[in-house]
């Protein structure tokens, strides 16, 4: 239990040390979208591995373990600076509210899934890079599978209604 409490509560003091580090330049997506940026390394000249090594080295100078600790705000701060981080989090909040209002107003299945994704992302942002390209890709796959399953179920219901099989069953009270 102690280890779990330390792991969950360590983000705030680590982030307070992280904010005071001057990394020099912005990394423009290397930390938030590492798999995409690795494909673009020949075009951009920026190395994902070197960026991670730089981050680890600077955190080591602050006597903080540089490997393993990461959050959404820290990645956004490294990639786009303070202004970019604030703008992205503000935009994320606006989209979250918009999806929430759509779901409350009777939004469809897809909007409900998007609302759940944004809610989960908001909960996990202080602990993990919730909006990294890998997480978004996996959530997109889950959403696609759920949508296919829902359409298949809807199609099955429509077929049963059109053939009249539902109408020929007696009511359970009979």
């Amino acid at each position: 239990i102690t280890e779990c409490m330390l792991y969950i509560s360590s983000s705030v003091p680590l982030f307070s040390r992280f904010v005071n580090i001057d990394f020099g330049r912005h990394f423009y997506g290397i930390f938030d979208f590492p798999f995409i940026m690795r494909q673009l390394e020949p075009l951009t000249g920026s190395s994902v591995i070197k960026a991670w090594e730089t981050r680890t080295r600077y955190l080591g100078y602050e006597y903080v373990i540089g490997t393993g600790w990461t959050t959404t705000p820290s990645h956004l701060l490294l990639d786009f600076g303070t202004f970019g981080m604030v703008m992205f989090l503000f935009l994320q909040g606006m989209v979250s509210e918009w999806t929430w209002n759509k779901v409350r107003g009777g939004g469809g299945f897809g909007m409900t899934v998007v609302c759940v994704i944004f809610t989960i992302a908001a909960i996990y942002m202080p602990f993990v890079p919730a909006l990294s390209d890998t997480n978004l890709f996996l959530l997109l796959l889950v959403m696609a599978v759920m949508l296919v399953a829902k359409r298949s179920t809807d199609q099955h219901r429509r077929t049963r209604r059109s053939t009249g099989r539902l109408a020929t069953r007696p009511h359970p009270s009979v």
Side-chain angles (χ1 to χ4, degrees):
I1 294 174
T2 304
E3 187 175 335
C4 180
M5 292 301 292
L6 285 172
Y7 179 75
I8 290 174
S9 65
S10 66
S11 294
V12 173
L14 287 174
F15 189 72
S16 68
R17 298 285 290 275
F18 175 85
V19 169
N20 295 324
I21 300 172
D22 181 19
F23 289 94
R25 65 178 190 95
H26 300 307
F27 293 95
Y28 301 107
I30 286 179
F31 289 98
D32 281 305
F33 311 108
F35 294 110
I36 295 171
M37 295 307 287
R38 290 212 47 175
Q39 304 308 313
L40 298 176
E41 276 182 8
L43 299 173
T44 62
S46 298
S47 170
V48 173
I49 293 171
K50 289 194 186 301
W52 277 95
E53 289 172 349
T54 301
R55 176 187 169 275
T56 304
R57 186 175 61 249
Y58 277 95
L59 285 171
Y61 294 156
E62 292 291 320
Y63 302 105
V64 175
I65 296 174
T67 57
W69 174 81
T70 185
T71 64
T72 300
S74 67
H75 278 188
L76 290 170
L77 194 60
L78 282 170
D79 282 341
F80 307 111
T82 304
F83 181 75
M85 177 188 71
V86 169
M87 291 306 296
F88 185 85
L89 293 176
F90 178 75
L91 181 64
Q92 192 267 341
M94 286 182 57
V95 172
S96 297
E97 181 186 7
W98 179 76
T99 59
W100 176 259
N101 289 335
K102 283 287 203 183
V103 168
R104 285 183 55 216
F109 174 76
M111 191 57 66
T112 302
V113 172
V114 171
C115 182
V116 168
I117 288 171
F118 274 104
T119 304
I120 290 172
I123 292 168
Y124 284 110
M125 274 184 179
F127 306 115
V128 296
L131 299 177
S132 70
D133 56 357
T134 306
N135 292 345
L136 291 176
F137 176 71
L138 292 174
L139 286 171
L140 181 66
L141 284 179
V142 167
M143 189 171 76
V145 167
M146 291 173 69
L147 188 60
V148 167
K150 183 183 180 315
R151 285 188 179 176
S152 174
T153 304
D154 289 347
Q155 181 64 34
H156 181 68
R157 286 182 186 150
R158 275 189 243 117
T159 303
R160 288 178 67 188
R161 285 187 190 128
S162 67
T163 60
R165 290 193 326 203
L166 288 177
T168 59
R169 290 188 189 153
H171 192 272
S173 64
V174 178

